[in-house]
């Protein structure tokens, strides 16, 4: 089963907010099995397993059982990257909800955010995706709670007005202490509900966005659409591994452990995914080295010995043997023919 992926911007938001509790970023990421350097790549996508671990660890390290609620209260629209910039330039709050619904996949494939208007009320749902392998099906509480409080914070930032809710529904069980829910939402709260939903007055849809800029909206939305189109082409683990190998293959051969860490997946799970796709790490490494060798040799100003070094061969003779196995020719013969 294909697995839902999530933007690294979510990881960064959690780690940065945890720092306000005095939690060390590296210790937190290490405990969750995430490379700290990953937070500098907010547009990257990761699977749910490291996020699931991160939520568990951050609650443990902060001692805050309501961390999701509080994270959402501190939300800044810019934290979700290009989607945030789209929202900042919408004309009305209705348009904000429309764009949020359209581009949710750019920061989370684990939920659908959609809204409808019924009898003067807006029903805004955060539906958990169930046709993918999705950690939110098992542990939805903090991510869903942060989503709703973040939407309230975003509304205040975008429209300059407080979004007063009429009802809040959560699918997950009722915690022992709900005093923070009552403080934040100031309305009826239902747990074990059939969906995750907030309900508010439909007049809010007409609220103007203070930072609206139609020209910038068009520019940012073009970017968002391009990113969505790219994501719609299913990325297999084979392709992800090839990309990662190409980035790391600079003078030494990257171990599968390095590539797995880069993709935020365990070595065992990566091997299993590649096996499902009918290949292996060694086969992909070999194919990637061949492709890069052919590409480098077309540049006649790159010495063959340098090509061998770049591809991680210990000596030119090893590169010659490998290249002859790939093409039936030596590197020199291939270059002279080409």
């Amino acid at each position: 089963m294909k697995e839902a992926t999530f933007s690294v911007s979510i990881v960064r938001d959690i780690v940065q907010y945890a720092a306000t509790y005095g939690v060390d970023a590296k210790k937190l990421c290490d405990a969750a099995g995430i490379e700290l350097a990953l937070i500098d790549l907010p547009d990257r996508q990761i699977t749910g397993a490291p996020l699931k671990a991160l939520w568990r660890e951050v609650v443990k390290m902060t001692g805050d059982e309501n961390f999701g609620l509080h994270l959402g209260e501190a939300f800044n629209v810019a934290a979700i990257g290009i989607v945030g910039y789209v929202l900042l330039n919408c004309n009305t709050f209705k348009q904000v909800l429309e764009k949020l619904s359209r581009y949710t996949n750019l920061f989370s494939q684990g939920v659908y955010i959609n809204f409808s208007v019924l009898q003067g009320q807006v029903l805004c749902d955060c539906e958990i995706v169930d046709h993918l392998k999705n950690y939110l099906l098992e542990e939805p509480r903090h991510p869903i709670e942060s989503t709703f409080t973040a939407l309230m914070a975003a509304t205040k930032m975008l429209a300059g007005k407080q979004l007063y809710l009429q009802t809040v529904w959560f699918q997950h069980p009722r915690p022992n202490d709900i005093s923070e829910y009552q403080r934040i939402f100031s309305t009826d709260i239902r747990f074990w509900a059939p969906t995750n939903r907030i309900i508010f007055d439909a007049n809010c849809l007409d609220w103007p966005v203070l930072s609206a800029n139609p020209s910038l909206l068009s520019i940012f939305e073009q970017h968002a659409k391009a990113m969505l189109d790219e994501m719609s082409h299913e990325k297999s683990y084979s392709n992800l591994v090839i990309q990662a190998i190409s980035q790391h293959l600079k003078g030494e051969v990257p171990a599968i452990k390095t590539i797995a860490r880069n993709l935020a997946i365990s070595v065992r799970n990566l091997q299993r995914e590649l096996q499902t796709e009918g290949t292996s790490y060694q086969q992909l490494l070999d194919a990637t080295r061949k492709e890069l060798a052919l590409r480098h040799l077309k540049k006649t100003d790159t010495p063959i010995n340098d090509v061998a070094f770049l591809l991680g061969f210990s000596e030119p003779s090893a590169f010659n043997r490998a290249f002859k196995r790939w093409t039936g020719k030596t590197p020199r013969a291939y270059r002279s023919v080409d």
Side-chain angles (χ1 to χ4, degrees), residues 67-141:
F67 185 86
L69 290 173
H70 298 147
L71 174 68
E73 280 192 295
F75 178 73
N76 186 306
V77 175
I80 51 176
I82 189 64
V83 180
Y85 293 114
V86 168
L87 303 185
L88 280 165
N89 291 284
C90 287
N91 293 311
T92 63
F93 185 52
K94 180 181 181 181
Q95 193 175 37
V96 166
L97 293 178
E98 289 172 345
K99 302 302 183 187
L100 181 61
S101 176
R102 181 177 302 173
Y103 299 117
T104 300
N105 260 13
L106 290 180
F107 60 88
S108 172
Q109 292 182 355
V111 295
Y112 299 117
I113 296 177
N114 50 70
F115 74 101
S116 58
V117 180
L118 182 66
Q119 298 178 343
Q121 294 180 318
V122 175
L123 281 56
C124 183
D125 293 354
C126 187
E127 181 185 351
I128 297 174
V129 174
D130 60 6
H131 68 275
L132 299 175
K133 183 180 178 183
N134 185 0
Y135 87 99
L136 294 176
L137 293 166
E138 302 167 3
E139 298 188 22
R141 179 187 167 186

Side-chain angles (χ1 to χ4, degrees), residues 144-318:
I144 297 299
E145 290 177 359
S146 68
T147 298
F148 283 163
T149 50
L151 183 57
M152 293 176 67
T155 306
K156 185 72 179 289
M157 179 180 178
L158 295 169
K161 298 180 181 181
Q162 181 70 39
L163 184 65
Y164 291 104
L165 306 183
Q166 296 174 3
T167 309
V168 182
W169 288 5
F170 292 113
Q171 286 180 296
H172 55 267
R174 183 187 190 277
N176 293 327
D177 181 0
I178 64 166
S179 57
E180 277 298 87
Y181 294 81
Q182 294 166 332
R183 176 186 69 80
I184 293 169
F185 298 116
S186 300
T187 189
D188 294 331
I189 303 161
R190 177 181 174 186
F191 296 94
W192 290 113
T195 188
N196 300 297
R197 171 179 292 173
I198 55 174
I199 301 175
F200 53 90
D201 194 301
N203 289 326
C204 300
L205 297 177
D206 296 327
W207 287 351
V209 174
L210 303 177
S211 52
N213 186 320
S215 298
L216 287 178
L217 175 62
S218 176
I219 293 169
F220 287 127
E221 196 164 12
Q222 283 179 11
H223 188 185
K225 286 177 180 175
M227 290 176 68
L228 207 56
D229 288 343
E230 185 180 347
M231 282 185 65
S232 68
H233 301 297
E234 185 176 341
K235 288 194 172 183
S236 65
Y237 272 100
S238 298
N239 288 335
L240 293 173
V241 167
I242 289 170
Q243 291 173 14
I245 290 173
S246 299
Q247 292 168 2
H248 285 80
L249 196 58
K250 296 174 181 175
E252 61 181 24
V253 178
I256 187 172
K257 182 179 179 181
T258 302
I259 301 301
R261 189 184 305 120
N262 184 257
L263 298 178
I265 186 174
S266 71
V267 170
R268 180 173 294 180
N269 283 345
L270 179 58
Q271 289 171 326
R272 189 180 296 121
E273 293 289 350
L274 294 179
Q275 185 178 11
T276 300
E277 294 173 13
T279 188
S280 68
Y281 180 71
Q282 191 56 49
Q283 288 175 313
L284 293 175
L285 175 63
D286 201 48
T288 305
R289 292 172 102 184
K290 175 186 175 181
E291 176 61 30
L292 291 175
L294 297 175
R295 194 182 306 170
H296 286 313
L297 288 173
K298 286 181 179 178
K299 300 175 183 177
T300 55
D301 58 337
T302 305
I304 291 174
N305 285 358
D306 287 355
V307 175
F309 170 76
L310 286 170
L311 297 180
F313 287 95
S314 56
E315 52 187 31
S317 59

Side-chain angles (χ1 to χ4, degrees), residues 45-58:
Q45 296 279 317
I46 61 170
T47 56
L51 255 183
K52 179 180 176 181
L54 184 63
W55 280 112
R56 286 182 178 180
E57 292 299 330
V58 77

